[in-house]
């Protein structure tokens, strides 16, 4: 039993279980590939019938994304924020929901500094606004920002199905849309957190799906969808979106020019709509930049990195001078980035590059979905299909750009999500007709892979029912926050006397840098609980005087269990903070 428990709680339990599934269906394919043939054929006929009407198929995919996650709500609840990025996006969503582009800086802002959040010249998330706008929509419409994240996943699923219909037969596009939901739309961190990923994937699908339609039908609406995709990418993943858009545009124009078809998309009406969309997007971005940073050409992300970061975003750039940190806990966050940067630039850079590929592979492919990719390579027609060459060029450009970045998370590659699905489906189509010694081994594999993906979805559900502590990294089968930051129970404790509270957070020198507690609402003075860093006696005393009508507490998250007590100022020598604010 201890061995079994150790395996289940291992970081790569879900991956190893998927590998067992993949090995099992490969063995069956080579031995008894006719097993379940009648049931598979019945399912195929049903899917083909459902995919006959493209619009209805897209709507069915979106309804499945809504209904599937709704059914899981009793088990996988609305997520609580945990990661630093989530709180930053939530600040943006709450700000936009108030009808603002940004917030005025607080007069006591040094105590409120936090990761990924600007305090000067205005108070707002450093991130591009698209994810925050979806969260704001959820807040305004349903009173719950997570509804915006859910909506983005629904739109992503429908858009990928729509994109696939432009490149593949309708039944395959429908299967692709359903696969997206089962694999990523129900259990991944794109749906079970506020971190994002679905918005740029939605945008990438709009771009990849509108281009072939423009060649075929030259419709205004396809030009609009292209412009919308470009706008969303520019405001969700600016760097990766630029690479994806440029690579896709170059590959598509070369493909069209080879057939002398580029004049079809050069019609004045199409170019006018696209130019108008891009012009509005550029004007909106310049305005937002000006409101947030005071300079139209300076992104909030760049302003935040200039104020706090030492390491650059790219491995080819140099370290920056260390800024003045007012809290040692903040310094340690950015010093950790320097270690990762130096690791990427050193001889250890090769293992770090392989780690990026590993995380990409686990999230987007894994053992099961790698089967059709490997099969298409072994069947020697990988580069004969023009569609496959087109998609591979885009994916290669994206992966090359990602390797230049210091760090990597799977949603960095999300603009290419639809392209990855298309490559998987092209491999499955080719694999379908392959036989082993006269037996339909390829047909069984193509039928069994989606079935196995569906069965894998039972793993996190079972884990939740049995209360098993699965480690879901790298966030493929992610059921929500592994720990709660600023939990309601703690908030209720400090406001038990029906008074608003000011909570100082004191970290130990061994604090987990990924767990940040100092995050606040857009309107800090109106919040029931205000979270602050300890800085120095002068600034802390000034903050207490500013909030003189509040109870004052000290919270130490690194104590086991958490320690919460009425605040008593510590001696400067007892603190882990850096020198006083200057």
């Amino acid at each position: 039993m201890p061995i079994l428990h150790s395996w289940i709680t291992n970081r790569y339990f879900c991956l190893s279980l998927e590998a067992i599934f993949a090995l099992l269906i490969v063995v069956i394919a080579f031995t008894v590939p006719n097993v379940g043939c009648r049931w598979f054929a019945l399912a195929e006929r049903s899917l083909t019938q459902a995919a006959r009407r493209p619009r209805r198929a897209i709507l069915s995919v979106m309804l499945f994304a809504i209904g599937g996650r709704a059914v899981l709500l009793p088990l996988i609840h609305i997520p609580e924020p945990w990661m630093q990025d989530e709180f930053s996006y939530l600040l943006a969503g709450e700000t936009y929901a108030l009808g603002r582009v940004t917030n005025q800086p607080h007069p006591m802002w040094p105590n409120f500094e936090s990761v990924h959040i600007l305090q000067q010249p205005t108070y707002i998330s450093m991130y591009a606004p698209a994810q925050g706008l979806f969260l704001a929509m959820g807040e305004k419409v349903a009173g719950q920002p997570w509804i915006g994240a859910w909506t983005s996943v629904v739109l992503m699923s429908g858009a990928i199905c729509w994109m696939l219909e432009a490149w593949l037969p309708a039944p395959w596009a429908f299967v692709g849309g359903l696969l997206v939901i089962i694999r990523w739309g129900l259990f991944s961190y794109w749906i079970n957190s506020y971190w994002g990923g679905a918005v740029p994937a939605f945008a990438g699908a709009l771009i990849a799906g509108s281009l072939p339609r423009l060649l075929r039908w030259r419709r205004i609406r396809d030009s609009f969808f292209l412009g919308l995709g470009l706008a969303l990418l520019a405001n969700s993943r600016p760097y990766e979106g630029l690479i994806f858009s440029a690579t896709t545009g170059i590959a598509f124009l070369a493909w069209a020019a080879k057939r002398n078809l580029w004049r079809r998309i050069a019609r004045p009406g199409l170019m006018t709509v696209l130019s108008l969309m891009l012009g509005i997007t550029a004007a909106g971005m310049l305005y937002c930049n000006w409101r947030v940073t005071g300079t139209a050409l300076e992104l909030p992300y760049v302003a935040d990195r200039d104020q706090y970061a030492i390491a650059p975003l790219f491995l080819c750039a140099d370290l920056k001078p260390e800024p003045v940190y007012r809290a040692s806990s903040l310094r340690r966050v950015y010093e950790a980035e320097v270690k990762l940067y130096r690791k990427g630039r050193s001889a250890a850079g090769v293992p770090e590059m392989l780690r990026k590929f590993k995380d990409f592979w686990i999230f987007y492919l894994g053992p099961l979905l790698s089967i059709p990719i490997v099969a298409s390579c072994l069947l020697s027609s990988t580069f004969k299909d023009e569609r496959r060459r087109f998609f591979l060029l885009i994916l290669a450009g994206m992966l090359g750009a990602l390797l230049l970045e210091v760090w990597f998370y799977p949603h960095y590659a999300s603009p290419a999500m639809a392209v990855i699905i298309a490559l998987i489906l092209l491999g499955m189509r080719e694999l379908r007709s392959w036989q082993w010694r006269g037996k339909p081994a390829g047909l069984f594999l193509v039928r069994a892979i989606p079935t196995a993906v569906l069965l894998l979805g039972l793993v996190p559900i079972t884990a939740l029912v049995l209360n098993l502590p699965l480690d879901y990294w790298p966030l493929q089968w992610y059921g929500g926050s592994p720990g709660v930051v600023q939990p309601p129970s703690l908030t209720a404790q400090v406001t038990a006397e029906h008074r608003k509270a000011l909570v100082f957070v004191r970290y130990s020198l061994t604090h987990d840098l990924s767990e940040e507690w100092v995050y606040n609402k857009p309107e800090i003075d109106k919040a029931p609980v205000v979270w602050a860093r300890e800085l120095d006696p002068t600034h802390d005393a000034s903050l207490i005087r500013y909030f003189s009508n509040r109870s004052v507490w000290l919270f130490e998250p690194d104590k086991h269990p958490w320690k919460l007590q009425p605040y008593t100022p510590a001696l400067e020598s007892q603190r882990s903070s850096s020198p006083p604010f200057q």
Side-chain angles (χ1 to χ4, degrees), residues 7 32 42-43 60 63 68 70 165 202 210 218 246 249 345 366 377 475 504 508 533 548 565:
W7 179 52
V32 284
L42 178 62
S60 298
L63 290 175
E165 288 177 350
F202 168 49
S210 60
R218 294 171 285 179
R345 299 250 300 189
C377 295
L475 307 174
F504 283 100
S508 71
R533 295 182 188 276
S548 58
Q565 61 186 5

Side-chain angles (χ1 to χ4, degrees), residues 484-499:
V484 179
V485 173
Q486 300 183 1
S489 59
L490 185 61
T491 302
Q493 189 173 348
V494 299
T495 57
E497 299 177 358
H498 304 289
R499 291 182 62 191

Side-chain angles (χ1 to χ4, degrees), residues 315-347:
L315 293 170
C316 55
D318 296 325
L319 291 173
K320 297 184 290 185
E322 180 176 321
V324 175
Y325 293 108
R326 287 159 281 274
S328 62
S329 53
L330 271 181
R331 175 188 284 115
R332 291 198 297 271
V333 169
Y334 293 103
E335 286 176 344
E337 292 184 354
V338 174
K339 293 179 182 178
L340 189 60
Y341 164 82
R342 286 176 173 158
K343 184 178 180 181
R345 299 250 300 189
S346 68

Side-chain angles (χ1 to χ4, degrees), residues 80-83 86 470-472 475 478-485 515:
E80 296 288 345
W82 170 59
M83 290 295 290
E86 294 183 87
L470 289 183
D471 190 330
Y472 295 95
L475 307 174
Y478 181 73
S481 168
V484 179
V485 173
E515 188 176 290

